[in-house]
């Protein structure tokens, strides 16, 4: 049976959060990070130490029947998970954002979660939103600090509850039925070239005002350049804070200068304003930090939402993974990468090139990543293996894909 894979040796605690309550309490769309923060603030680090952490929307949320984000905490030691449950039960902060059935013990794979590393004291092995949330939790105290209370006697965990099936009429796509990848909350960092150019524009706006103020011209002739300098400084400040209105203010100032230059007959002045604007646009587009350009940050394309990881970011990761294996033709090497590479996108890319049926079936049985299982499932032709995956695979999305492949 597929559930006998080695990952089933673990136990997992599902910590369920009401997404609406989280967004209202923390005033953010990045609810995954906020959920992690609640856990990290209200559970002692030495208790969390060694737990693998996972996060994602619940299967029922993907099917439209609830609005719940789940933090999964996995460990060989069930008493550790019980201690985590006890500490969260003592937290008023968690109680204020918890969903119904707030704490559930289960087997791994029932919910389509994505791993965000292993919790260690210091947070050094966390990735994605978990890493960012850990840093934030160290600087922000819990909403209501509570003394540590000795946990009550250990109570046997309740049996796992089967997730609600999707409506019979629903057409569940591979993406919808699978896990929603952990939201990649990339910090909005400026590239050094963008920082340098914004500083130069800031200085330029100040010089325009200064030169206009000291120029030996009538006062009425100073109004336009001084006003333009002030607006340029405001526009640069807005761009610095990732407000796209700042860029459009720059466009408006250049357009205004062009019109004034044309009507005054100063054609050089009319066109020279386009040069710094084009440089700004090019710097925003070209220079990237964490594989995200300043233009994407400015236009809001990288803001986390309920859709979590952006399609652009996911496509970039998949493209990089594909490049890592595109020149590999040796099946043994591909199988090794598909089974053992730490990057799930590399495992998926390698899995798509594997042709050995027994290796593909083994990967499908043992890998917990939706993307890897989806990739190898494409190449599996054994009817028995497909039927077994459709009935017993740990990931609901993979069960659905196997069912669809059998029907075809």
């Amino acid at each position: 049976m597929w559930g006998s894979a080695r990952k089933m040796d673990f136990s997992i605690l599902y910590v369920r959060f009401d997404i609406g309550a989280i967004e209202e309490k923390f005033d953010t769309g990045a609810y995954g990070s906020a959920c992690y923060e609640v856990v990290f603030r209200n559970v002692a680090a030495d208790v969390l130490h060694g737990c693998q952490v996972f996060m994602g929307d619940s299967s029922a949320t993907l099917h439209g029947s609830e609005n719940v984000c789940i933090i999964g905490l996995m460990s060989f030691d069930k008493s550790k998970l019980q201690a985590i449950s006890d500490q969260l039960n003592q937290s008023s902060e968690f109680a204020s954002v918890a969903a119904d059935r707030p704490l559930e013990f289960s087997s791994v794979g029932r919910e389509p979660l994505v791993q965000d590393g292993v919790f260690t004291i210091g947070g050094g092995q966390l990735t994605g939103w978990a890493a960012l949330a850990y840093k934030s939790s160290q600087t922000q105290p819990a909403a209501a600090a509570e003394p540590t209370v000795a946990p009550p006697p250990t109570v046997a965990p309740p049996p796992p509850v089967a997730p609600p099936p999707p409506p019979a009429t629903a057409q569940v796509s591979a993406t919808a039925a699978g896990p929603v990848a952990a939201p990649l909350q990339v910090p909005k960092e400026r590239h050094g070239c963008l920082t340098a150019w914004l500083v130069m524009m800031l200085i330029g706006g100040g010089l325009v005002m200064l030169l206009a103020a000291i120029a030996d011209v009538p006062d009425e002739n100073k109004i336009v350049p001084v006003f333009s300098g002030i607006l340029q400084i405001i526009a640069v400040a807005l761009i610095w804070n990732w407000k796209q209105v700042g860029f459009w203010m720059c466009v408006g100032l250049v357009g205004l200068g062009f019109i004034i230059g044309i009507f005054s007959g100063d054609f050089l002045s009319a066109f020279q304003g386009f040069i710094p604007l084009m440089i700004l646009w090019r710097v925003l587009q070209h220079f990237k930090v964490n594989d995200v350009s300043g233009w994407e940050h400015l236009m809001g394309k990288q803001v986390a939402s309920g859709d979590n990881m952006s399609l652009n970011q996911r496509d970039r990761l998949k493209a990089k993974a594909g490049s890592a294996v595109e020149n590999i033709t040796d099946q043994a090497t591909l199988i090794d990468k598909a089974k053992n590479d730490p990057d799930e996108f590399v495992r998926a890319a390698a899995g798509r090139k594997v042709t050995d049926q027994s290796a593909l079936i083994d990967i499908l049985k043992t890998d917990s990543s939706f993307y890897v299982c989806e990739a190898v499932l494409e190449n599996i032709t054994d009817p028995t293996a497909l039927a077994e995956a459709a009935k017993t695979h740990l990931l609901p999305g993979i069960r659905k894909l196997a069912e669809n492949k059998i029907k075809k």
Side-chain angles (χ1 to χ4, degrees):
M1 180 172 171
W2 297 68
S4 62
R6 52 184 168 82
K7 292 181 176 62
M8 288 295 291
D9 293 335
F10 292 87
S11 293
I12 193 165
L13 172 64
Y14 289 139
V15 185
R16 294 165 46 86
F17 292 86
D18 184 310
I19 293 175
I22 279 283
E23 290 178 333
E24 181 178 356
K25 183 178 181 68
F26 294 94
D27 191 24
T28 178
Y31 56 82
S33 178
C35 292
Y36 269 128
E37 286 187 41
V38 172
V39 173
F40 294 159
R41 277 198 297 267
N42 292 282
V43 180
D46 60 336
V47 176
L48 284 170
H49 182 73
C51 289
Q52 295 186 47
V53 299
F54 300 78
M55 191 273 295
D57 291 350
S58 70
S59 177
T61 298
L62 298 177
H63 296 140
S65 58
E66 65 179 14
N67 191 30
V68 171
C69 177
I70 296 178
I71 301 296
L73 301 166
M74 187 168 69
S75 174
F76 279 117
D77 186 355
K78 292 184 179 180
S79 65
K80 180 184 288 286
L81 298 182
Q82 183 65 52
I84 294 171
S85 173
D86 293 337
Q87 292 192 17
L88 286 173
N89 271 324
Q90 298 295 323
S91 168
S92 60
E93 182 182 25
F94 174 61
S96 68
V97 292
D100 60 324
R101 308 191 317 276
L103 296 164
E104 290 186 338
F105 293 89
S106 184
S107 56
V108 180
R110 201 195 82 195
E111 294 287 358
L113 309 184
V114 177
Q115 186 173 4
D116 282 328
V118 179
F119 187 94
T120 57
I121 296 176
Q125 295 187 35
L126 296 173
T127 61
W129 266 17
L132 293 170
Y134 178 80
K135 292 178 183 178
S136 179
S137 69
Q138 300 308 294
T139 58
Q140 298 179 13
E146 297 146 340
T148 303
V149 178
T154 300
V155 178
V161 180
T169 57
Q171 297 296 317
V172 183
S173 67
T175 301
V180 178
L184 189 60
Q185 183 70 4
V186 179
K188 292 188 176 183
E189 299 179 26
R190 278 178 298 278
H191 191 279
C193 291
L194 176 57
T195 299
W197 186 246
L198 290 177
V199 170
M200 290 178 66
M201 290 182 65
L202 193 65
I203 294 172
L207 286 175
V208 168
M209 290 192 299
L210 178 62
L211 293 176
I214 65 176
D216 188 16
V217 296
D219 289 343
E220 58 269 20
N221 292 344
K222 298 179 181 181
I223 296 176
V224 172
V226 169
F227 185 65
S228 297
I230 293 173
L231 288 180
Q232 180 168 318
I233 291 174
I234 294 173
V236 171
L238 289 169
I239 295 173
W240 187 277
N241 289 286
W242 303 112
K243 305 297 183 183
Q244 60 175 287
V245 67
F247 179 81
W248 302 119
M249 282 181 65
C250 289
V251 173
L253 285 171
V254 171
L256 179 63
F258 176 78
I259 294 172
I260 293 175
I262 291 295
F263 277 97
S264 64
D266 187 356
F267 295 103
L268 178 61
S269 175
F271 285 98
Q272 69 181 9
F274 287 97
I275 297 174
L277 179 64
M278 292 304 295
I279 294 174
L280 173 63
W281 181 81
R282 183 59 179 165
V283 169
L284 283 167
Q285 289 274 358
H286 182 71
F287 295 102
K288 300 181 179 182
V289 178
N290 293 325
D291 207 24
V292 181
S293 70
W295 182 260
E296 288 177 294
H297 280 322
L298 191 65
M299 295 296 112
K301 294 181 181 178
Q302 198 59 28
V303 176
S305 69
D307 293 329
N308 299 320
M309 184 187 292
S310 72
L311 293 177
N312 286 341
Q313 185 71 26
R314 192 176 301 165
D315 288 344
R316 290 190 189 104
L317 293 174
K318 287 183 177 179
K320 285 184 177 180
S323 299
V325 301
E326 64 180 347
N327 295 323
I328 300 176
T329 57
D330 179 65
Q331 282 293 304
T333 304
L334 288 169
I335 291 171
D336 180 66
K337 279 195 167 292
K339 288 184 176 182
N340 302 315
D341 196 281
D343 186 328
E344 66 177 334
F345 290 107
V346 172
R347 297 201 306 275
R352 284 192 175 90
K353 299 182 70 174
V354 172
T355 56
D356 182 84
Q357 289 293 302
S358 61
L360 290 168
I361 294 170
D362 184 51
I363 295 168
L364 186 63
K365 288 182 178 181
T366 58
D367 203 299
S368 60
S369 166
F370 175 84
Y371 303 110
V372 177
C373 293
E374 178 190 28
V376 299
L377 187 64
E378 293 175 4
N379 295 334
I380 293 178
T381 56
D382 184 346
T384 303
L386 290 173
E388 191 171 1
K391 292 181 179 179
T392 62
H393 198 279
L394 300 177
L395 299 177
I398 297 302
R399 294 201 298 269
K400 184 66 177 181
L401 289 177
E403 289 173 9
N404 292 340
K405 188 165 185 177
I406 292 170
K407 292 176 182 178
K408 292 179 181 179

